[in-house]
Amino acid sequence: MVGPLLELRGLAKRYGAHTAVHPTSLAIEKNDFFAILGPSGCGKTTLLRMIGGFVPPSEGRILVAGADVTRLPPERRPTGMVFQNYGLFPHMTARQNIAYGLRLRRTARRDLDRAVDEMLALVHLEAFADRLVPQLSGGQRQRVALARALILKPQVLLLDEPLAALDLKLRKAMHRELRQIHQAIGGTFILVSHDQTEVMTLANRVAVMNGGKVVQQGAPRDIYTRPADAFVSAFVGEANILPANRLRGVIELAPGTVLADPGPDQPVNVVIRPEQIQFGPGAETAIRLQARMVDAIFLGPFSHLRCELATGASLLVQIDSNDLNRMPALGSNVTLGWQAGNHLVLDQA
């Protein structure tokens, strides 16, 4: 196959005067674990459902392996979908749910049984094969839904926030399961999620959506370290965003603290991640700010300090929790700093 496995060409969806998804073009390669990340209402689920054939696009085309599937119904597309609520038949066992798609295809009994056994082994549910859906835990139901989609061997597996209903510990366990399944079968997965940790854990490529538009796409590390705008920097991980003005190639963050930054005179945002900020007068940093410590939050292996600048702006600082006992009292004046290459300057929209 030449070219990407899945292509979206100017795909858009409108409901009357409301545009849910603006014209969107994406290229997703074979074996990608691709994630669409964004807040509720940004259009990510609508985009996924258009790919699966459950929502007709207002314009644009969908190609899978070079074939145009834009007008095909879901059952005729080389895609499978795992829904947020799983969509399992409660009166059927795990085995019967997994076999359902192959039964509709009138697959021979011997081949069907072998395929179901393979799927049960893949999702580690051999011991629960004959349990009814209400007798299964949330994580087990999620695995059944995954196996039911995978047994049809779709070229593209679509995952619509499949872990949203699980508790934190179980979600983390299922992250490992999904990674292992993706590696084992070598398939192409497309995940929709509002959970940035989930996306960073699972995906090798990410598209960030906001207001019905893809505002940035790339590798998770690139999106985290080089966000395209203030929205991405704030949505993907924690970020300090300091509004300022660039005048004659200089940005003044506070009296006596300036950054050299070539560019036109205009309002900008200076973005710095909490883990990049060093704390204390002994820190050897190029950029230094005086602040007052107003809060300290223990978060297990690390802690967050909330500090306030003289300008009234707030800075979040991440430190090792082992250092928390050595911190000055709340209300104390502190010195913060970071190296010149660790911040990012973004033009304000």
Side-chain angles (χ1 to χ4, degrees):
M1 185 185 69
V2 178
L5 176 64
L6 173 68
E7 278 189 274
L8 309 184
R9 297 181 180 176
L11 201 65
K13 182 61 181 179
R14 290 181 294 275
Y15 296 96
H18 172 66
T19 300
V21 177
H22 293 267
T24 297
S25 296
L26 290 174
I28 299 173
E29 304 294 334
K30 184 178 180 181
N31 298 332
D32 267 351
F33 201 130
F34 192 92
I36 304 171
L37 175 66
S40 297
C42 72
K44 58 187 184 297
T45 294
T46 301
L47 183 61
L48 192 77
R49 288 174 176 262
M50 284 194 286
I51 296 171
F54 299 96
V55 172
S58 300
E59 63 182 79
R61 300 172 64 201
I62 305 165
L63 286 81
V64 180
D68 193 327
V69 302
T70 310
R71 302 302 169 192
L72 294 181
E75 66 273 13
R76 293 185 57 196
R77 298 191 184 200
T79 58
M81 190 155 183
V82 178
F83 297 93
Q84 185 173 340
N85 63 359
Y86 311 144
L88 301 176
F89 298 110
H91 63 285
M92 292 184 183
T93 65
R95 178 184 294 276
Q96 290 168 336
N97 268 281
I98 294 170
Y100 183 77
L102 290 186
R103 289 190 184 280
L104 291 181
R105 292 182 176 181
R106 301 185 182 277
T107 303
R109 181 59 182 268
R110 179 182 300 177
D111 294 335
L112 184 148
D113 288 343
R114 182 175 63 251
V116 171
D117 287 341
E118 288 174 356
M119 284 297 110
L120 286 166
L122 181 68
V123 298
H124 310 296
L125 283 178
E126 300 99 314
F128 304 91
D130 297 318
R131 289 194 185 182
L132 293 170
V133 169
Q135 298 171 324
L136 299 173
S137 69
Q140 290 164 348
R141 294 180 192 184
Q142 196 277 338
R143 291 189 184 113
V144 172
L146 188 61
R148 186 178 64 177
L150 288 173
I151 200 169
L152 298 177
K153 297 183 177 180
Q155 289 181 273
V156 181
L157 181 66
L158 308 174
L159 302 158
D160 184 11
E161 304 216 36
L163 310 182
L166 306 181
D167 62 48
L168 179 60
K169 188 174 182 179
L170 190 51
R171 279 206 308 274
K172 289 183 176 179
M174 287 308 304
H175 291 165
R176 293 191 293 271
E177 293 279 354
L178 275 174
R179 284 176 63 90
Q180 291 169 2
I181 290 170
H182 180 254
Q183 292 165 4
I185 68 173
T188 300
F189 289 11
I190 302 177
L191 168 73
V192 155
S193 180
H194 65 274
D195 186 332
Q196 55 176 295
T197 301
E198 182 168 281
V199 166
M200 294 296 175
T201 301
L202 292 170
N204 69 299
R205 292 183 60 222
V206 180
V208 183
M209 289 191 71
N210 185 34
K213 299 177 182 178
V214 173
V215 293
Q216 187 173 0
Q217 59 176 303
R221 181 181 178 87
D222 293 337
I223 287 175
Y224 183 81
T225 58
R226 308 296 296 179
D229 57 23
F231 168 79
V232 177
S233 64
F235 190 78
V236 181
E238 299 277 3
N240 295 293
I241 302 174
L242 300 175
N245 285 296
R246 182 170 51 214
L247 184 62
R248 294 189 292 275
V250 174
I251 299 170
E252 185 175 27
L253 284 180
T257 303
V258 297
L259 311 176
D261 188 72
D265 295 354
Q266 66 179 70
V268 297
N269 288 315
V270 178
V271 180
I272 179 74
R273 297 287 184 186
E275 66 272 17
Q276 299 286 2
I277 300 176
Q278 297 182 41
F279 190 96
E284 295 297 329
T285 58
I287 298 156
R288 291 187 172 218
L289 291 167
Q290 299 303 310
R292 184 173 63 90
M293 194 165 85
V294 296
D295 200 7
I297 304 169
F298 176 77
L299 296 169
F302 61 88
S303 294
H304 279 169
L305 309 179
R306 180 71 63 181
C307 301
E308 189 176 277
L309 304 179
T311 60
S314 182
L315 275 179
L316 188 68
V317 182
Q318 182 172 304
I319 65 166
D320 190 308
S321 287
N322 292 328
D323 297 329
L324 197 58
N325 292 333
R326 298 194 289 274
M327 292 295 104
L330 296 183
S332 299
N333 293 326
V334 295
T335 301
L336 307 176
W338 63 86
Q339 301 301 337
N342 289 341
H343 67 260
L344 190 64
V345 177
L346 301 173
D347 295 340
Q348 290 186 18

